[in-house]
Amino acid sequence: MQDHIIVTINGTEFLADPGQNLLELINTTDEFVPQICYNESLGPIQTCDTCMVEVNGEIKRACGTTVEAAMEVNTKIEIAHRAQKEALDRILENHELYCTVCDYNNGSCEIHNTVAEFGLEHQSRPFKEKPYEVDNSGSFYRYDPDQCILCGRCVEVCQDVQVNETLLIDWKRDQPRVIWDNDVPIDQSSCVSCGQCVTVCPCNALMEKDMLGEAGFMTDTEPGLLRSMIDVTKHVETGYGPLFAISDTEAAMREERIEKTKTVCTYCGVGCSFHVWTKDRKILRVEPQHESPANGISTCIKGKFGWDYVNSKERLTKPLIRKGDHFEEVEWDVALSYVAKRFKDIKEEKGSNALGFISSSKATNEESYLMQKFARQVIGTNNVDNCSRYCQSPATKGLFRTVGHGGDSGSIDDIAEADMVIGIGTNTAESHPVIASRIKRSQKLFGQKLYVFDLRKHEMGQRADKFFSPNSGTDLVWLSAVTKYIIDQGWGDRTFIDKWVNDFDEYKESLGKFTLAYAEKLTGISQQDLKEIAREIASVDKLAICWAMGVTQHQLGSDTSTAISNLLLITGNYMRKGVGAYPLRGHNNVQGCSDFGSMPDFFPGYEKVANDVVRKRYEKAWNTKIQAEPGKDNHEMIAAIHEGSLSSLYIKGEETGIVDANINYVTNAFEKLDFFVVQDLFLSRTAEFADVILPASPSLEKDGTFTNTERRIQRLYQALEPVGDSKPDWVILTELAKEMGYDWGYQHPSEIMDEAASLTPLFAGVSYELLEGYNSLQWPVEKDGTDSPVLFLDGFPFEDKKARLFPLEFNYDYETNETYDLHVNNGRVLEHFHEGNMTYKSPAIAREMPMCYVEVSPELAKERGIEEGAEVKLISHTGEATCVVHVTDRVRNNELYLPLNSSGESAVNFLSDNRVDKDTNTPAYKEIAVRMEVLKKKGKSPLPDHNFRRGNRQPQIGVQVEQKWNRADYAFPKGKVKQNG
């Protein structure tokens, strides 16, 4: 039991935790203390001075005070009240109150609310304009220095939560202000447009551009008219009380037309949740919450600002049926009848296994469940898969082999809590920015060690304590060599191994060839470095390893993932908080799509279709016969089309024609299909080959759940009505099933989840009631609703509760050669998601990165005689891609980096081939050898001048408030009160 101490506040005793912040304690009581710079997600900043209280007879900032035993606190004494008033007057000297005509007057302006609750009627110091212009240069938000109170929240969140380290306050100026980098406009800085500064701003100094002129009833005015309205309002009202009465009425009116709906981000696998503000169909802002379980107040450029695609004019609004060389719009009854008839005909003529189904990692868990139910019950085939085949199946395989569950060992909090984080093949800062921020924060503020292994020195590599660039595809070798060295030195956790791990002797013997010399030869990492890596791993108490597509998209992706888990088992880094394996999932619901059964060999909850007991459970529930033989995965379906054994394909929400390897091979398969159905938001490249296109709805237009990378199931709520005649995927599938004679009868996704939970032990206790609001559950979930934030606390999910070490070989046949002498690495970029089907619909995001480009090292550029903006053709043995060049030292030597965000002539999958991971059929996207033809030696840079990569970060700890206190014009409010008293 934790000891508590007693603190007396205004004569009443309260229990406090040792080390607790005094203001935090006061906020648990009914006492009111002004507090404008304080934010529960940021902690004490100590810039505004409004939280002055008397502590043991002395005036102090409550937010800057730690509780002590027998502390006497008085928040109501006159001298404290006067100190608070003096601080508020100083704030109003820097901030002009014109609430009624302010877009921030939405009930959450902390200056407005604090002044009103304090009861301040007049300010002693008149508002003073500042000698700075409004900065409108950024794509997403603007900064108004005249309204800025210099609370420093934006600086604190940028420096120490997001840890992009762009914002500071220049306290040395005659008139201090917030600055970006070394004092440049927003769009010339290193700002990554995460929007967190706007989220924490307590007033209208920082505001989303989509809010301006939209939120208020009287805010859509020209600047001159707005100024006149401000002046009139202030002259008419005799004090703040009447002014606030009017503005509060106007704010209440806004509540009638602005909806605030909780949703979950539709981009990467972090699973950020937030409120989305909508007015009719306009999306005004995204507002993360302190209680958001995966992200708190954090967001990235896509989650905060990347929602334009929802209202894109390119949205599909009616079903389309191919008529010769064009599509014709039809009504839903016509489309569904036609699809049902063609499916029935093909099934009758060629059998159920002539049809295949690909589910969507962007659709909900409930929609994944229905896709596999449709395939298995209505059609009678196990030919169902999803895009985890393209990225995360090898990680899942490696974890199944060793620890029995194919998901993150713990939560994002556990990654932040680790003593050491190793990132392997993960460009975390751009692929999973919010997770990257947690790692950057732990490294910066709490001494967490960060080791990064990658081909490319991206931001996490630049920030790492140690960065290593092993030869492509050789991570398994250094992992195994380091593990062997740890065992040989006696540094393994023998107590843990003996109690919780099987097959140690066999595994140890299998490591025989993974000597340091062997590893140095294959990986390029020196023996000395390998020893140091082993020593560091063995020395820390808590180790977490994160990996992504740089590991999984190789021929040995499953084996390398297995090697990661082997290392964690040898060092005892499972079964506790702050440790474990973290395969970072790429799409928002790629975890859930597999969890809920859209896989050829698994029912929901990863129960095998070959298991008679499990299969009979589903056969009874669905009143059907289900095949025991696993179906075809994505890769096998494409091959089967070419072979003639698969005649029909139904793709829901996947751009298979771009994201699958070897585009030409895939699209040639599409052309061979007898019948092809695509269900999507847009007329995608894949949809162009379809016979029928069904218009679906995005996440903002439906209810459901997503499961993020940490196995966290979260609800999303419908914010908008579907556009035109488009429908949620679950509705389309339900109606199509009914057309084929199966009346499922679902009226709401909660009913689908109830069915899944009733059949799936992994989700036994999941219900919409337990997921209300910001509540979430991490599977496995027991029947009583108990979930599992940390896996394996009571053992591993094998019969004897022990994990299994898995012996590995290294047989790798990829390398460049004289003809194809360059290696193409590929992956995500911060601004866009995957091929850009959604993010290119945002003009502001497209402004930040308007086109795809290939990164070329300075040394290769010099060798080939090319410069920034050059145009080159990359040619592999399967195809070619034309790209514009960006020269950067993030890549080295003959390594190229080609982002995924192109569906045109720069698409990387024109270059990839049919090689796959030997265990999961995940394409070996990272094994591309090309030659280069120079088309143009130089040209305009593909990277705009205002892109954040051209910025100049300015790292510091927090807001450095001491510089404010040391200014000649600053006086502690206590002194001012005494002087007046």
Side-chain angles (χ1 to χ4, degrees), residues 927-940:
E927 297 169 9
I928 302 174
V930 300
R931 59 185 174 88
M932 177 190 290
E933 287 185 6
V934 177
L935 305 179
K936 187 168 67 172
K937 290 190 174 183
K938 63 180 179 179
K940 182 181 179 182

Side-chain angles (χ1 to χ4, degrees), residues 403-700:
V403 293
H405 276 316
D408 285 7
S409 304
S411 305
I412 296 169
D413 287 344
D414 292 297
I415 300 174
E417 186 182 317
D419 300 318
M420 180 180 190
V421 168
I422 296 178
I424 309 172
T426 167
N427 179 12
T428 320
E430 299 195 58
S431 297
H432 303 90
V434 170
I435 291 178
S437 290
R438 296 297 301 277
I439 297 170
K440 291 188 286 184
R441 175 178 168 84
S442 292
Q443 182 198 33
K444 180 178 182 178
L445 301 184
F446 307 115
Q448 182 183 80
K449 295 176 182 176
L450 174 62
Y451 277 27
V452 171
F453 295 78
D454 214 321
L455 296 181
R456 179 171 169 263
K457 199 167 188 178
H458 44 64
E459 181 186 340
M460 299 307 281
Q462 294 163 1
R463 290 181 178 272
D465 296 287
K466 293 285 186 179
F467 172 73
F468 301 95
S469 184
N471 294 328
S472 178
T474 64
D475 290 307
L476 183 154
V477 178
W478 72 259
L479 283 161
S480 298
V482 163
T483 306
K484 171 177 166 56
Y485 189 76
I486 288 172
I487 294 172
D488 291 345
Q489 298 302 309
W491 295 342
D493 189 337
R494 283 309 310 225
T495 302
F496 177 87
I497 293 168
D498 291 343
K499 184 176 182 179
W500 292 111
V501 183
N502 284 324
D503 305 322
F504 175 78
D505 291 335
E506 180 186 358
Y507 174 67
K508 179 181 178 181
E509 183 178 350
S510 75
L511 291 174
K513 77 173 185 179
F514 292 102
T515 64
L516 296 180
Y518 175 77
E520 179 181 52
K521 179 181 178 182
L522 268 66
T523 70
I525 302 175
S526 73
Q527 294 185 49
Q528 187 58 43
D529 281 340
L530 292 167
K531 290 179 181 178
E532 181 191 343
I533 293 164
R535 188 177 296 108
E536 288 290 340
I537 288 173
S539 70
V540 298
D541 179 47
K542 295 180 179 181
L543 170 68
I545 301 182
C546 303
W547 74 102
M549 297 186 297
V551 167
T552 59
Q553 292 179 337
H554 283 278
Q555 293 174 71
L556 300 180
S558 294
D559 284 352
T560 304
S561 299
T562 306
I564 291 170
S565 192
N566 284 338
L567 172 57
L568 291 166
L569 287 171
I570 289 296
T571 53
N573 281 293
Y574 278 114
M575 306 183 75
R576 296 179 287 145
K577 283 188 64 60
V579 304
Y582 297 87
L584 304 179
R585 306 308 195 183
H587 287 257
N588 59 299
N589 204 42
V590 70
Q591 179 73 54
C593 195
S594 294
D595 292 346
F596 281 80
S598 284
M599 301 185 77
D601 50 347
F602 290 117
F603 286 112
Y606 301 99
E607 294 187 289
K608 293 182 178 180
V609 297
N611 185 310
D612 293 343
V613 174
V614 174
R615 197 172 60 259
K616 287 177 182 178
R617 186 196 315 148
Y618 281 90
E619 288 177 339
K620 181 180 179 181
W622 293 347
N623 191 29
T624 192
K625 186 71 176 175
I626 300 173
Q627 296 184 39
E629 186 72 22
K632 295 180 175 63
D633 61 36
N634 290 359
H635 179 77
E636 292 167 334
M637 286 187 214
I638 299 300
I641 296 170
H642 281 289
E643 294 165 2
S645 58
L646 194 77
S647 301
S648 178
L649 192 60
Y650 183 176
I651 296 180
K652 180 184 73 176
E654 289 295 340
E655 180 68 294
T656 309
I658 294 296
V659 302
D660 203 348
N662 197 347
I663 290 176
N664 294 325
Y665 178 77
V666 172
T667 54
N668 286 343
F670 291 165
E671 292 174 341
K672 294 180 180 180
L673 285 165
D674 290 344
F675 187 58
F676 187 17
V677 179
V678 172
Q679 193 163 301
D680 213 324
L681 308 182
F682 303 105
L683 184 61
S684 64
R685 173 65 173 154
T686 302
E688 291 175 3
F689 293 87
D691 296 294
V692 177
I693 304 173
L694 304 177
S697 300
S699 60
L700 289 188

Side-chain angles (χ1 to χ4, degrees), residues 651-937:
I651 296 180
K652 180 184 73 176
E654 289 295 340
E655 180 68 294
T656 309
I658 294 296
V659 302
D660 203 348
N662 197 347
I663 290 176
N664 294 325
Y665 178 77
V666 172
T667 54
N668 286 343
F670 291 165
E671 292 174 341
K672 294 180 180 180
L673 285 165
D674 290 344
F675 187 58
F676 187 17
V677 179
V678 172
Q679 193 163 301
D680 213 324
L681 308 182
F682 303 105
L683 184 61
S684 64
R685 173 65 173 154
T686 302
E688 291 175 3
F689 293 87
D691 296 294
V692 177
I693 304 173
L694 304 177
S697 300
S699 60
L700 289 188
E701 296 175 2
K702 59 189 172 187
D703 292 317
T705 62
F706 290 152
T707 304
N708 78 340
T709 189
E710 49 181 0
R711 300 171 286 105
R712 186 184 302 280
I713 304 171
Q714 302 181 88
R715 279 186 69 174
L716 50 138
Y717 296 80
Q718 183 175 342
L720 302 170
E721 289 299 316
V723 167
D725 289 343
S726 65
K727 297 183 179 185
D729 295 285
W730 71 269
V731 173
I732 299 172
L733 284 163
T734 299
E735 292 180 352
L736 182 58
K738 186 175 182 179
E739 188 71 24
M740 295 192 69
Y742 292 81
D743 189 355
W744 291 340
Y746 304 117
Q747 299 300 309
H748 190 268
S750 60
E751 299 167 2
I752 305 170
M753 178 61 79
D754 290 343
E755 179 181 315
S758 71
L759 290 169
T760 312
L762 202 67
F763 314 126
V766 177
S767 71
Y768 271 42
E769 289 73 22
L770 292 180
L771 297 171
E772 190 69 32
Y774 283 89
N775 294 327
S776 63
L777 295 167
Q778 290 172 266
W779 62 252
V781 183
E782 302 297 329
K783 284 187 177 181
D784 63 1
T786 302
D787 69 340
S788 309
V790 179
L791 290 179
F792 317 127
L793 291 179
D794 300 319
F796 297 90
F798 298 112
E799 285 188 12
D800 60 1
K801 298 290 186 180
K802 290 187 176 185
R804 303 165 178 173
L805 289 163
F806 193 92
L808 300 166
E809 296 288 333
F810 182 73
N811 298 307
Y812 190 56
D813 64 359
Y814 166 81
E815 61 181 11
T816 55
N817 53 44
E818 289 186 5
T819 302
Y820 302 106
D821 58 334
L822 305 177
H823 174 245
V824 176
N825 187 17
N826 51 84
R828 295 194 171 99
V829 292
L830 178 67
E831 296 89 339
H832 289 289
F833 193 81
H834 225 58
E835 70 281 356
N837 276 3
M838 297 187 296
T839 48
Y840 277 120
K841 305 294 190 297
S842 167
I845 290 180
R847 176 179 180 265
E848 295 301 307
M849 182 177 283
M851 62 186 298
C852 188
Y853 55 80
V854 62
E855 291 187 352
V856 175
S857 67
E859 54 268 33
L860 181 62
K862 182 178 180 181
E863 176 193 311
R864 302 296 167 97
I866 57 177
E867 300 177 24
E868 182 75 5
E871 187 174 331
V872 298
K873 181 181 290 185
L874 304 179
I875 303 168
S876 72
H877 71 93
T878 58
E880 58 186 45
T882 302
C883 315
V884 178
V885 167
H886 173 52
V887 180
T888 173
D889 59 6
R890 284 190 292 270
V891 291
R892 58 178 187 143
N893 302 327
N894 284 8
E895 293 283 346
L896 306 174
Y897 184 78
L898 183 57
L900 302 174
N901 56 297
S902 175
S903 57
E905 61 182 6
S906 300
V908 68
N909 284 317
F910 282 121
L911 305 173
S912 53
D913 59 24
N914 292 337
R915 283 179 291 190
V916 295
D917 170 54
K918 63 183 179 62
D919 298 302
T920 63
N921 280 339
T922 294
Y925 294 105
K926 299 296 187 283
E927 297 169 9
I928 302 174
V930 300
R931 59 185 174 88
M932 177 190 290
E933 287 185 6
V934 177
L935 305 179
K936 187 168 67 172
K937 290 190 174 183

